[in-house]
Amino acid sequence: MWLVFPPTGTMLAITSTIPREISLGPLDREFDWRLRITASCEAMHQHCTALVPILRAMPLQLHAASLNAEQQLADRPLDLRARRPGARALGAQHGLRQEGEDGGRGRARADGGGEGPTAPRHAAVPASTMAQPAAKKARTAGEVEPAPTEEAKVAEPAKPAEPAKAVGPPPEAETDAPACTKPKVQGSVRFLTRDTTLNLLPSACGGIFMAMGDGGIKSLFAGARASVGLTSGRYMFEAKILECCAGSDARGKGAHVLRVGFSAAGSALVVGADKDGVCFESDGDSDARGCGFIHNQTRVKAGVSFARGDIVAALLNLDKASSNFNTVSLFKNGLRISQPQQIPDNLKGKALFPHISFKGVSVHTNFGPTPLAPLPFTCRMVQDAAKTDTAVAVAQEPADGKYEVVVPVGLPDEGTFDWLDLWLEKNAGYTELSDRMLVAWAEQSGMGKPRGAGSKVSGDKPAAEWHDFDIASVRRAVYSIAPLQSRHYVVMEVRGNLIKDERQALVKRFSDGAFKIHAHVAVGTPTQDFKDLVQRLTLKQKQESSDRAFQLKKMEEKRKWQLAKAQFHAAKAKKKAEKERQQKLKEMQKKVAAAKAAAAKAKEGEAKEGEGKEEKKPEEEKEEEKEVEEPEEVEEFGEPEPADEVPPKVALTAEEKAMVYRPRDIKDLTPLAFSSSFTKFSLPAADEGFAAVKYEWSKGPKCDEYLRQWILERKFKNRVEELVPSVWFKTKLQAWRSAVSKYQGKQTEYRASVAKKAADKLAKEAKARAAALAAEKKKAEKKDGAEDKGEEVKKAEEAAEEEEEEEADFAGLDVFGAEDVLDIGGGMPLFRDFSPEDWAMLGLRFELHLLAHAFRHDVDDPERLGVHTDHLDFYFQRYFGRALLAKDYGKETVEELVGLVDDVVYVNAKGVLESQVEAELETPSVFVKATEEARRRRALRLDLGEEAAKLRLAPAALQGQGSRHSKGNRQDGNKWWSSYGKVPSDRANYSHQPYGNGKGGKTGGKGGAWW
C-alpha cells in the first residue's frame, strides 16, 4: 500500500497485502489536506493500529473518512502538525525508511519490500518543517516557545522519542440490524405523482429521474417524496448521480446539486426548504463546500462531498433503543461521511418519508431490499421495512378516471388568495398552478426574491420584473407539461379567470378527456368560515407588526443604555487620566523644586571654601510635607440595564372585526391591468365547457347583480389607464390655440395703436405750444394774430374731442352682449386689459371644459359619468401633457381650483367635472367673455379692499406648464406640443402672453411675448 502526500512528494510504502487503495484527496477549506480511506476489507483491520501513528507523524492535518476497521477514522481530524517525533524516526520504529536514505527520490519503503512507484516530483520537505517533539507542558494557540540557551542544550540529555498512541474517532455506534419476522410493507415504494414537482421526468425503466432543462425551469429544483414513511426503526435508501447535465442555472451557481433526506407529508417538494424536512446536500461543482446538512433553508457543513458516480445512502434512525435515536446519517459508497445529525423537534414523532431533490443531474434511486453499496453494518432498506414501522401514502384515484381541474373565480382584492388558501387546506392533494406558486418554487430553489417595480408587481403576477429569472419561460413549460400528468389541479389566475376568452383557452388546454373542469365562484357575501379566517389572519398580521415595533423599541432602549454606559465610563476614564496627569505634574514640579534647591545649596557650599562641613542631623533636616492622598471615590453606573420583556398582546378593533376582506400591501392586479380589463369581467357559465359551476358565496343571479354593480362603481371611481386622446380632441385644441393666438395678436396690435395715438397727440400738443410761444416772442403782436392763435387751439381741442368720441364706453359695456370680442368699437378688443393672470385663467377655463367633453367622447361608455376629481390631474396630464396642481393656482384642493372658473365648469354632487358650455361651438368667444366678466368682478372686490379676491398664481401656472417639475408638453404616442411660452428666469417684472408671440398683426404667433 502506498501513501502519497502531494505537498512534499513524500511516499510511504507499507509492505503488506492490501487489496484496495488508500489515497489522499484534494484541498479543503477547513483542512490543508484530507485523507480519504476507501478501503473496506478485512485485510485492513490488522494495519489500523500501525497506520494511525505513521499518519500522525506527517506535518499535515489529515481527515480519515469512514475506515471499515476495528478503530475507524471516520470524520476525525488528525492534527499531524502537533509536536511529535519526526516521521523518519517514527517510520524507523515501524520498519519504514525513506527513499532518501538509500539514494532514491522521495520514496519510503518497508524493510524487505519490493520496488514501489516513483513519487511525484515535488520539493523535499525541509528538516525545519518536520514535526518537532512535543513540549512538556501545553501552550496556548499562537504562543512561541523560547529558544533554549547553550547551557541548557549541553545539560539536557537526549531523550528517546516516545511512540505516539493510536487515537481514532469514536467507534461506530450503529450495529447490525436484528432479524425481523414482522410483516413487511405491502407494495413497492414509489413516488406518487402528486408528491413530485412538475419538472420531474421519470424514465421508462423506473428508478431513474431527470429534470426539464429548457429556459428558466432549469434553475428550479426537481423534487420527489416517496410513498412510504417511517415512524420507528432504522432504515435507509440510496441515490446515485448518473450524469451531470449541460448548462447552469440563471444565476451561474449550483448547477449540479443533489439532496437526499426525509420530510413530513405535505411539506415543500424541495426538501430542506421549509421546517418540515431535513436533507444532506452536495454541490457537485464545489468540493470545497463539502456535504451540507439543511433544514429550513439553513445549511451547516456535515462532511465530505459526493459527486457523479458515488452511491450515497441516507439512514434514518428512529430506534428508541439506539444511542443514535432521532438522527439521520449519510454514507458514501458504503462508508460514513457524516456523523449522525439530530432531527428537529418539530419532526419528532411524525412519519418521515424519503425525499430527493436535484437539479442539473440525473439520479437513480434504490429503496431496496438489497443495497448497492453495503454499509459496515447490516441495515434494512425502506422496501424491507416492517409494516408496523411505516405509514403509507395512498394515491387517490378518481372513480371515473378523470382528474379535476378547479378554476377559482373571484374579484380582485376581495379575498381571492385567502379563499384559495382556505380551500387548499380543506382539499389536500391538489397542485396549484399560479405565478404565486412559481415564485415560491424559485425562492425554495435559491433564486432569492423578485425585485420588481411597485407599479408592475401584483398578487396575480408577483414576478413581472424578475430580472434574474425568466419566469415567463417557466410558466410556458409548466402549462405545457401539466395536462400530461395525472394529478388534480387548481388554476389560480385572478384576471384570466374573470375573462371569458381566457377561461375558454384554459378549458381547451385540458380538454383531452383526462380531466373534468369545475369553476368555483367566490363572489358576493362571504361565508362565516371565511370571515373567521380573515379575522385570524388580520390578528396574526397585527400581532407580528406589534412584535416588530416592540422589539425595535427595546433594541433602541438598550442601545441608548449602552451608549450612556459607554459615555459614563469614558468620562470616568477621562477624569481618572486627568487626575493622574495632575499628580504627575505635581511630582514633576516637586522634582524641579528639589533640583533647584540642591543646586542653590551646592553653589552656597562652593562659596564657603575652607570651612568645615558639618553633617546635618536628621532632626535638623526640614521634613517634607507629605501630601495626604484622598481616597478614590468608587463611582458606578447607576442606570439599570433594560430588562427583556414579553411583547404585549394585541386585539382587533371594532372596525377591524367588521372587515370582510383582509387588506394587502400589494394589490391583486396592477392599475394598468385592472383598468384595461375590469370592464370585460364576467362569471363562468356551463356553456363555456365547464363540467360544473359551483357558487361558494352568493348564488346564481345574486352573483351576476353583484358583479354588475361592482363594475359600475369601478367605472365611476377608477381611471382609464389606457385612454389615448382622440383626433377630435386634437382638432378642438388646435382650433383653440389658433384663436388665442389671434386674440393675443389683436391685443398687441390694439395696445400699439393706442400708444401711437397717444404719442401723436402729445406731438401735436407740443407743436401747438411751440407755435404759441413763438408768437408771444414777437414785440408787436397784432389782434388778428391772437385771434388766429385762438382758432388754432380751438381746432386742436376739437380734434382731440373727436378722437375721444370715437372710443366705446368700455366701463359701461355689457360683456356678454358684445357681438365681436375682437372689436367692441373703435377697434378695441374686449380683452384689452387682460394681464398674464387673465390669460392663464382663460386657458384654464377652456382646457377644463375641453377635458370634460373629450373624456366622454373618447371612452365612449355611457356608464362612465365623467372625470372624477380624484383623477383630474391624471387625465389632464394624459391630454395636455403637463401636470395640473392646485397649489400653482394658490389653492389647496382640486375643488377649490375648479371654483376659480365655476362660470364655465363645476364639480357635481358625485365629484365629477361638468361643463356648462356645449362641446360644439362656432366661436370660443364665450370663454373670453367669461374671463373678462370675472376680471371686472375681481377688480371691484379689490377696490372694496377684499384681498382674498387677488389671484396668486405661481410662475408655473403663468407659463402654462402646470408644475415647475414638468418635463414638457409632449404627449407620448401622439406627437403634439403645447404652444405655451416660457418666462425667462432673469425677468422679475414682466407681462407674458402664454398664447401668441406679441408681434401684432392678423397672423398672431406662438407665444413668448413680453411687454
Side-chain angles (χ1 to χ4, degrees):
M1 180 179 67
W2 293 87
L3 299 181
V4 182
F5 297 88
T8 63
T10 304
M11 299 181 65
L12 295 178
I14 302 177
T15 56
S16 59
T17 304
I18 299 177
R20 290 179 182 258
E21 178 187 12
I22 301 178
S23 62
L24 288 176
L27 283 170
D28 188 81
R29 289 184 181 177
E30 293 185 8
F31 308 110
D32 295 328
W33 294 89
R34 175 176 296 164
L35 176 63
R36 297 175 180 172
I37 302 179
T38 58
S40 59
C41 57
E42 297 297 333
M44 181 62 72
H45 290 193
Q46 57 184 343
H47 297 284
C48 292
T49 304
L51 179 62
V52 172
I54 295 175
L55 298 179
R56 296 180 68 88
M58 298 304 296
L60 301 170
Q61 185 176 23
L62 306 180
H63 184 81
S66 304
L67 176 63
N68 183 16
E70 295 176 353
Q71 295 183 353
Q72 294 194 14
L73 306 178
D75 288 337
R76 179 81 174 262
L78 305 179
D79 190 358
L80 304 184
R81 287 177 289 190
R83 294 181 176 89
R84 294 186 179 276
R88 184 174 300 179
L90 185 59
Q93 294 179 10
H94 291 272
L96 299 176
R97 69 178 185 273
Q98 290 192 355
E99 185 81 28
E101 298 180 6
D102 56 359
R105 177 184 299 175
R107 291 184 180 180
R109 66 180 68 180
D111 293 341
E115 291 292 329
T118 303
R121 295 184 178 180
H122 295 291
V125 182
S128 59
T129 62
M130 298 300 291
Q132 301 297 324
K136 293 183 178 180
K137 60 180 180 179
R139 295 182 176 88
T140 59
E143 183 180 354
V144 180
E145 181 180 3
T149 61
E150 293 297 332
E151 293 79 359
K153 292 181 180 179
V154 176
E156 184 178 1
K159 295 182 179 180
E162 297 180 1
K165 295 182 180 180
V167 179
E172 177 63 66
E174 303 289 356
T175 59
D176 292 340
C180 180
T181 58
K182 297 179 181 180
K184 306 295 178 64
V185 63
Q186 297 296 323
S188 61
V189 182
R190 60 193 181 98
F191 294 114
L192 301 179
T193 303
R194 72 184 188 195
D195 290 329
T196 62
T197 55
L198 290 164
N199 62 338
L200 186 75
L201 302 177
S203 65
C205 59
I208 299 177
F209 303 91
M210 63 182 301
M212 299 175 67
D214 184 26
I217 202 168
K218 66 184 177 184
S219 302
L220 303 181
F221 269 104
R225 182 169 46 246
S227 59
V228 176
L230 304 173
T231 57
S232 59
R234 187 190 68 182
Y235 300 97
M236 58 169 276
F237 76 98
E238 294 176 324
K240 179 180 181 180
I241 299 178
L242 298 179
E243 66 170 351
C244 293
C245 303
S248 61
D249 72 359
R251 304 183 71 177
K253 66 178 183 179
H256 310 108
V257 183
L258 171 64
R259 293 181 180 181
V260 292
F262 299 88
S263 66
S267 63
L269 292 179
V270 178
V271 63
D274 62 358
K275 64 180 182 179
D276 292 329
V278 294
C279 68
F280 294 96
E281 177 195 72
S282 183
D283 187 348
D285 298 330
S286 175
D287 288 333
R289 294 187 68 194
C291 172
F293 181 72
I294 301 178
H295 171 248
N296 200 18
Q297 294 189 344
T298 301
R299 189 183 196 273
V300 295
K301 192 169 183 179
V304 299
S305 62
F306 53 89
R308 180 175 58 184
D310 293 329
I311 300 173
V312 292
L315 183 146
L316 176 64
N317 192 332
L318 300 180
D319 185 2
K320 296 182 179 180
S322 173
S323 60
N324 290 338
F325 174 55
N326 278 335
T327 63
V328 288
S329 301
L330 189 67
F331 296 81
K332 181 177 75 171
N333 300 326
L335 304 177
R336 178 182 288 277
I337 60 173
S338 171
Q339 290 298 321
Q341 305 290 328
Q342 282 288 330
I343 64 175
D345 293 338
N346 67 296
L347 293 180
K348 294 178 180 178
K350 295 183 178 180
L352 299 180
F353 296 79
H355 200 142
I356 64 168
S357 295
F358 60 91
K359 64 177 175 179
V361 297
S362 297
V363 181
H364 172 240
T365 59
N366 176 33
F367 293 105
T370 304
L372 301 176
L375 304 186
F377 50 89
T378 58
C379 180
R380 297 165 62 191
M381 302 192 72
V382 177
Q383 186 64 67
D384 197 32
K387 185 177 182 180
T388 55
D389 293 342
T390 61
V392 180
V394 180
Q396 299 293 336
E397 301 290 342
D400 57 357
K402 293 184 178 182
Y403 289 87
E404 186 178 6
V405 177
V406 174
V407 181
V409 179
L411 297 176
D413 302 320
E414 292 196 358
T416 48
F417 287 100
D418 287 341
W419 178 88
L420 176 62
D421 294 336
L422 180 63
W423 190 87
L424 288 174
E425 184 179 342
K426 296 178 180 179
N427 300 270
Y430 283 75
T431 299
E432 179 183 348
L433 296 181
S434 67
D435 276 30
R436 181 182 74 160
M437 180 273 292
L438 298 180
V439 169
W441 189 3
E443 291 176 359
Q444 293 171 2
S445 301
M447 297 301 298
K449 293 184 178 295
R451 300 186 300 274
S455 61
K456 297 182 180 180
V457 173
S458 63
D460 196 31
K461 303 295 179 184
E465 296 292 318
W466 202 341
H467 302 295
D468 293 342
F469 182 52
D470 185 9
I471 194 170
S473 66
V474 177
R475 188 187 301 112
R476 289 193 299 268
V478 165
Y479 277 93
S480 297
I481 195 68
L484 305 179
Q485 298 185 8
S486 299
R487 63 171 86 196
H488 299 294
Y489 293 104
V490 52
V491 184
M492 187 57 183
E493 295 283 345
V494 178
R495 175 185 173 277
N497 293 352
L498 283 166
I499 298 177
K500 182 177 180 180
D501 293 342
E502 298 193 23
R503 287 195 302 265
Q504 291 178 339
L506 176 64
V507 170
K508 185 178 180 181
R509 191 186 302 274
F510 290 92
S511 60
D512 58 353
F515 298 93
K516 52 185 178 182
I517 307 173
H518 293 166
H520 290 242
V521 182
V523 174
T525 304
T527 56
Q528 188 59 44
D529 59 344
F530 178 81
K531 295 179 180 179
D532 295 339
L533 173 67
V534 169
Q535 291 197 8
R536 289 198 306 271
L537 295 177
T538 304
L539 180 60
K540 179 182 178 182
Q541 184 176 350
K542 186 176 181 180
Q543 184 66 55
E544 291 175 352
S545 178
S546 174
D547 292 348
R548 286 194 299 269
F550 181 80
Q551 294 297 337
L552 290 175
K553 180 181 177 182
K554 299 301 293 183
M555 289 172 61
E556 180 63 17
E557 290 178 358
K558 193 165 186 178
R559 185 192 67 82
K560 290 182 178 180
W561 178 84
Q562 291 174 345
L563 179 61
K565 184 178 179 181
Q567 291 175 347
F568 170 80
H569 286 296
K572 185 178 178 181
K574 184 178 180 181
K575 185 177 179 181
K576 183 178 179 181
E578 178 63 21
K579 185 176 181 181
E580 292 176 354
R581 191 185 68 82
Q582 294 292 341
Q583 184 67 24
K584 290 181 179 179
L585 181 60
K586 289 181 180 180
E587 292 176 359
M588 186 178 296
Q589 290 174 350
K590 288 180 181 180
K591 290 180 180 179
V592 172
K596 288 182 179 180
K601 288 181 180 180
K603 189 175 181 182
E604 184 181 354
E606 291 176 359
K608 297 180 180 180
E609 292 181 358
E611 296 182 1
K613 297 181 180 179
E614 296 181 0
E615 296 181 0
K616 282 189 177 182
K617 296 181 179 180
E619 58 269 18
E620 294 178 358
E621 294 180 356
K622 187 178 180 180
E623 296 182 356
E624 295 181 358
E625 295 181 1
K626 294 184 178 180
E627 235 180 75
V628 180
E629 294 185 0
E630 297 180 0
E632 185 177 355
E633 296 181 3
V634 179
E635 189 177 0
E636 296 294 338
F637 185 63
E639 186 178 347
E641 181 179 1
D644 294 334
E645 300 178 11
V646 179
K649 296 297 181 181
V650 299
L652 296 179
T653 63
E655 183 180 355
E656 290 170 337
K657 290 180 180 180
M659 287 192 310
V660 180
Y661 310 111
R662 184 164 61 103
R664 292 176 176 267
D665 296 333
I666 299 177
K667 300 296 184 181
D668 287 349
L669 298 179
T670 62
L672 180 59
F674 180 84
S675 174
S676 61
S677 58
F678 81 93
T679 57
K680 297 180 287 186
F681 287 174
S682 63
L683 299 180
D687 58 1
E688 296 178 11
F690 293 101
V693 177
K694 300 179 181 180
Y695 293 93
E696 300 288 341
W697 294 348
S698 298
K699 307 299 180 183
K702 291 185 178 180
C703 280
D704 295 332
E705 179 61 21
Y706 184 92
L707 177 61
R708 191 183 71 82
Q709 294 296 332
W710 185 89
I711 292 176
L712 285 176
E713 184 179 355
R714 269 63 187 176
K715 282 185 176 181
F716 174 66
K717 290 184 177 181
N718 289 82
R719 63 194 190 190
V720 185
E721 296 283 348
E722 70 278 10
L723 183 62
V724 176
S726 63
V727 176
W728 180 88
F729 164 80
K730 296 175 185 178
T731 303
K732 293 293 183 183
L733 183 61
Q734 186 60 41
W736 166 253
R737 287 174 177 163
S738 299
V740 171
S741 296
K742 185 177 181 180
Y743 295 156
Q744 291 177 337
K746 179 63 177 179
Q747 184 191 49
T748 304
E749 181 182 354
Y750 173 74
R751 289 186 176 181
S753 65
V754 170
K756 185 177 182 302
K757 288 179 180 180
D760 292 344
K761 182 178 180 181
L762 292 175
K764 288 180 181 180
E765 292 177 354
K767 184 177 180 180
R769 284 194 299 271
L773 291 174
E776 290 177 356
K777 291 180 181 179
K778 294 180 179 180
K779 293 180 180 180
E781 183 178 354
K782 295 181 180 181
K783 185 177 180 180
D784 55 352
E787 292 176 356
D788 294 340
K789 176 184 175 183
E791 291 177 359
E792 292 177 0
V793 173
K794 186 176 180 180
K795 290 180 180 180
E797 291 176 354
E798 290 177 355
E801 289 177 359
E802 290 177 0
E803 292 178 358
E804 291 177 358
E805 289 175 358
E806 290 178 1
E807 293 187 1
D809 183 11
F810 187 78
L813 177 69
D814 180 10
V815 173
F816 288 97
E819 296 181 359
D820 187 1
V821 296
L822 292 172
D823 186 359
I824 59 176
M828 180 189 302
L830 183 64
F831 42 82
R832 73 169 196 179
D833 293 335
F834 274 17
S835 65
E837 289 81 2
D838 296 314
W839 287 113
M841 299 309 297
L842 173 65
L844 181 63
R845 283 180 170 84
F846 178 80
E847 287 168 346
L848 292 181
H849 153 79
L850 181 60
L851 177 63
H853 288 291
F855 177 82
R856 292 184 177 180
H857 178 276
D858 295 346
V859 297
D860 194 21
D861 186 351
E863 293 181 345
R864 293 188 183 270
L865 303 180
V867 177
H868 196 274
T869 54
D870 292 344
H871 310 305
L872 180 59
D873 179 61
F874 169 79
Y875 290 120
F876 196 92
Q877 176 78 40
R878 179 61 56 90
Y879 275 92
F880 297 100
R882 67 180 193 276
L884 178 67
L885 301 181
K887 66 179 182 179
D888 289 342
Y889 293 85
K891 300 300 179 180
E892 296 296 330
T893 63
V894 173
E895 288 77 10
E896 293 178 353
L897 171 64
V898 176
L900 291 175
V901 291
D902 56 0
D903 47 9
V904 173
V905 292
Y906 68 98
V907 177
N908 64 18
K910 294 183 178 181
V912 176
L913 183 69
E914 295 280 357
S915 176
Q916 302 186 64
V917 181
E918 295 294 333
E920 300 294 340
L921 297 172
E922 293 182 2
T923 173
S925 60
V926 64
F927 303 103
V928 177
K929 295 177 181 180
T931 304
E932 172 61 20
E933 183 68 23
R935 186 193 66 80
R936 296 189 177 197
R937 291 198 306 266
R938 184 171 65 253
L940 180 61
R941 293 174 61 190
L942 290 174
D943 291 341
L944 295 175
E946 294 186 27
E947 289 296 326
K950 184 178 181 180
L951 291 176
R952 293 176 175 82
L953 305 186
L958 296 175
Q959 295 173 16
Q961 298 299 315
S963 173
R964 61 188 178 92
H965 301 290
S966 176
K967 297 182 179 179
N969 294 329
R970 184 174 65 84
Q971 174 67 40
D972 292 338
N974 301 277
K975 295 187 177 180
W976 51 270
W977 287 264
S978 172
S979 61
Y980 294 146
K982 295 184 178 180
V983 179
S985 58
D986 59 346
R987 297 290 294 272
N989 300 318
Y990 62 91
S991 180
H992 171 239
Q993 298 182 18
Y995 300 91
N997 60 8
K999 294 182 179 180
K1002 298 181 179 180
T1003 58
K1006 292 188 176 181
W1010 291 267
W1011 58 89

